[in-house]
Amino acid sequence: MISNGLGPYGLLAQAAGETLYMVFWTFLLTFVLGTALGVLLFLTTPGSVVVERIRGAGAQRAVVVGHHVASVLVNIVRSLPFVILLLAILPLTRSIVGTTLGTTAALVPLTVSMFPFFARIVDNALAEVDTGRLDAAEAMGASTWQLIWRVLLPESRSGLIAGSTLTLVAIVGNTAVAGTVGAGGLGAYAITYGYQRYDDQLMWTTVLVLVVIVQAIQVVGDVWLRRRLHKR
């Protein structure tokens, strides 16, 4: 949380650091959980290679039903505005972290809101992989893990890079929203020292810092993606 022992611009630097803290850890958790869920959604799609490997019509139907249930849950979470989700899962946040205030507590709603979003990105990126490569790997007797690590993830890397950039930008926006309800960061700074004190200069300075953070993420993502495409 922002400390009052600093001047306005010292507080701004502290708030920026808190925002970057939330963005880093939220993206790390989102990437791990979202990638796992996205791969699972793709592999359990009706008619997929993995589903076809399952012996027994009943087992296949169970996997497909699980896929549809998970897909619906992902869509439900993605459809909720972040501020509503943040408030709705306050008991979960409190049970995990012990409090609903502060940057660490904000990681719970931020991650819950973002990893289903990233999971759908991963699922779509994997769906763009050339089926011929999957068929070739299948014909060579590749296991499910080999399909994931040697075919699916490497071949979908460009889509994952673009999706990661999009996700990071969305996380920055959500941290600003979380800051308005006790998470700290630039959102809290803008409300407390800009809006409530009618200081337009501090408000627009905060906006500028957020724009710089987003643009830096976008530029790095675009450069990485271009290099990836150029190598191919």
Side-chain angles (χ1 to χ4, degrees):
M1 296 291 290
I2 297 175
S3 168
N4 291 322
L6 302 173
Y9 290 99
L11 290 171
L12 176 61
Q14 180 179 335
E18 291 176 351
T19 292
L20 293 175
Y21 168 86
M22 289 187 284
V23 170
F24 174 80
W25 286 108
T26 299
F27 179 71
L28 181 62
L29 293 169
T30 294
F31 185 84
V32 173
L33 296 175
T35 300
L37 180 57
V39 170
L40 183 63
L41 286 172
F42 176 78
L43 294 179
T44 56
T45 302
S48 71
V49 172
V50 174
V51 172
E52 293 298 325
R53 287 179 174 182
I54 299 174
R55 296 182 180 180
Q60 287 188 0
R61 282 195 298 270
V63 170
V64 171
V65 169
H67 166 85
H68 288 305
V69 171
S71 184
V72 168
L73 291 175
V74 165
N75 290 336
I76 289 174
V77 175
R78 289 174 61 218
S79 67
L80 293 175
F82 174 66
V83 67
I84 294 177
L85 178 64
L86 185 154
L87 297 174
I89 66 170
L90 284 177
L92 175 64
T93 302
R94 186 179 292 107
S95 67
I96 294 175
V97 185
T99 180
T100 59
L101 300 176
T103 53
T104 300
L107 298 180
V108 177
L110 285 168
T111 302
V112 170
S113 70
M114 293 309 306
F115 91 83
F117 173 80
F118 189 68
R120 188 60 72 189
I121 288 176
V122 173
D123 183 24
N124 292 336
L126 297 179
E128 296 297 322
V129 174
D130 185 3
T131 56
R133 294 184 181 273
L134 289 175
D135 293 339
E138 172 76 4
M140 295 173 63
S143 66
T144 300
W145 283 110
Q146 288 173 329
L147 285 175
I148 294 171
W149 292 108
R150 297 186 181 182
V151 181
L152 289 173
L153 293 180
E155 291 297 322
S156 62
R157 191 172 301 166
S158 296
L160 295 179
I161 293 172
S164 295
T165 303
L166 178 64
T167 302
L168 276 165
V169 171
I171 291 173
V172 173
N174 283 353
T175 62
V177 175
T180 65
V181 290
L186 290 169
Y189 180 86
I191 293 295
T192 303
Y193 297 96
Y195 177 75
Q196 293 180 350
R197 298 186 181 184
Y198 303 100
D199 192 327
D200 291 340
Q201 180 177 347
L202 288 181
M203 175 67 77
W204 285 108
T205 301
T206 306
V207 171
L208 178 61
V209 173
L210 284 169
V211 169
V212 169
I213 292 174
V214 169
Q215 288 301 310
I217 292 170
Q218 192 66 57
V219 168
V220 171
D222 290 345
V223 169
W224 189 8
L225 182 58
R226 283 198 298 269
R227 289 184 177 180
R228 162 71 180 170
L229 295 175
H230 179 70
K231 288 181 180 179
R232 297 184 65 181

